[in-house]
């Protein structure tokens, strides 16, 4: 059973960089043809996709965040990470990491089949 | 900011049937991309409920069903139970500048 766990600071100052890591257990991050994603959810609001990475290092980002986002992967540690720069209060949210599964014959980029429990990041001075 | 539109809330008595709509456009659902549904219980991470428009992962009760037509999709819950009270989100793929993965606005299901 694949499990994902987010970790990182719960408080970040405005204009600084938010950094989070997702540790994958129960399977190798490199096995299978999976993308790995970050998704966020402000309190009381909906879900927003941030970006995804393949184990080769290939990335795609939400255009609305692209200029501030970097996602990387460390296959030796079975982890992938998120960096979001120049944060403001609008970036305060619960951040989730998730695995993307695209089945044979599917149309589109697949679905999120495993999720981390989420971690709250507050941007405040 | 959400590209897919859902009703903010739906409600029903135990045992009843409720449906949640998810309306998109020609760059996502209307383009033929699959629709997926997630259930989010209070204070927890979303959980995959339906994938590929109408498929249930192992362990999801058959009370939950999904369908897609044109630029819209629907989630139906039959035999509504108290534990179904949660937020529900649809998700698809988008070929425009909205981003690769787009989510619905979310629907709160209340069991009366």
């Amino acid at each position: 059973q694949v499990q994902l766990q987010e970790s990182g600071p719960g408080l970040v100052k405005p204009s600084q960089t938010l950094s989070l890591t997702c540790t994958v257990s129960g399977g190798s991050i490199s096995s299978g043809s999976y993308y790995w994603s970050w998704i966020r959810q402000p309190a009381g609001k909906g879900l927003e996709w941030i970006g995804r990475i393949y184990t080769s290092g290939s990335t795609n980002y939400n255009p609305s965040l692209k200029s501030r986002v970097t996602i990387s992967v460390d296959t030796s540690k079975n982890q992938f990470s998120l960096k979001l720069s120049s944060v403001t209060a609008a970036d305060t949210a619960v951040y989730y990491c998730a695995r993307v599964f695209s089945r044979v014959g599917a149309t589109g980029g697949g679905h999120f089949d495993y999720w981390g429990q989420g971690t709250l990041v507050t941007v405040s001075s | 900011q959400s590209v897919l539109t859902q009703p903010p809330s739906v409600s029903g008595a135990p045992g009843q049937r409720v449906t949640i709509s998810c309306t998109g456009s020609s760059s996502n659902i209307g383009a033929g991309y699959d629709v997926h549904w997630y259930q989010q219980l209070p204070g927890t991470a979303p959980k995959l409920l339906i994938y590929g428009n109408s498929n249930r992962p192992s362990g999801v009760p058959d009370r939950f069903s999904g369908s897609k037509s044109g630029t819209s999709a629907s989630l139906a819950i039959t035999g509504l139970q108290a534990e179904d009270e949660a937020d529900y989100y649809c998700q698809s793929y988008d070929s425009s500048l909205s981003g690769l993965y787009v989510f619905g606005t979310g629907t709160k299901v209340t069991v009366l």
Side-chain angles (χ1 to χ4, degrees):
Chain A
Q1 178 81 347
V2 174
Q3 293 184 314
L4 294 86
Q5 177 69 58
E6 306 87 352
S7 60
L11 181 64
V12 181
K13 288 182 167 52
S15 80
Q16 293 191 341
T17 296
L18 177 161
S19 297
L20 295 175
T21 296
C22 182
T23 301
V24 180
S25 59
S28 170
I29 199 172
S30 301
S31 67
S33 300
Y34 302 116
Y35 278 91
W36 303 88
S37 254
W38 288 97
I39 296 157
R40 70 180 183 179
Q41 184 176 35
K45 297 188 178 181
L47 300 163
E48 180 181 34
W49 177 72
I50 299 171
R52 71 177 186 181
I53 188 165
Y54 195 62
T55 49
S56 64
S58 172
T59 56
N60 300 97
Y61 301 128
N62 187 322
S64 68
L65 299 168
K66 187 175 182 178
S67 63
R68 300 194 291 131
V69 174
T70 301
I71 297 176
S72 58
V73 64
D74 187 337
T75 54
S76 67
K77 294 182 179 179
N78 232 33
Q79 296 175 335
F80 63 105
S81 299
L82 168 71
K83 290 189 185 300
L84 181 66
S85 64
S86 304
V87 297
T88 69
D91 295 309
T92 295
V94 174
Y95 285 75
Y96 297 100
C97 56
R99 190 180 82 169
V100 184
F101 178 74
S102 187
R103 62 194 176 98
V104 175
T107 58
H111 56 272
F112 305 99
D113 60 348
Y114 289 99
W115 296 66
Q117 66 184 29
T119 187
L120 174 63
V121 178
T122 301
V123 178
S124 174
S125 55
Chain B
Q1 186 173 354
S2 296
V3 177
L4 307 178
T5 302
Q6 300 177 231
S9 63
V10 299
S11 62
Q16 285 191 329
R17 179 180 187 269
V18 297
T19 62
I20 301 170
S21 60
C22 173
T23 302
S25 67
S26 58
S27 65
N28 42 69
I29 300 176
Y33 297 125
D34 285 342
V35 177
H36 320 287
W37 292 89
Y38 304 87
Q39 178 193 58
Q40 187 175 33
L41 297 170
T44 68
K47 167 194 164 187
L48 180 66
L49 198 64
I50 297 286
Y51 67 92
N53 306 316
S54 59
N55 301 287
R56 286 184 307 276
S58 174
V60 173
D62 60 6
R63 303 185 291 104
F64 295 93
S65 62
S67 63
K68 188 187 92 166
S69 179
T71 59
S72 296
S74 291
L75 173 71
I77 310 174
T78 57
L80 195 63
Q81 298 183 6
E83 61 257 37
D84 298 334
E85 189 159 292
D87 293 324
Y88 293 81
Y89 293 91
C90 59
Q91 175 250 312
S92 188
Y93 186 86
D94 195 284
S95 58
S96 74
L97 294 178
S98 298
L100 290 178
Y101 299 96
V102 289
F103 288 95
T105 48
T107 298
K108 169 70 176 180
V109 170
T110 301
V111 181
L112 301 172

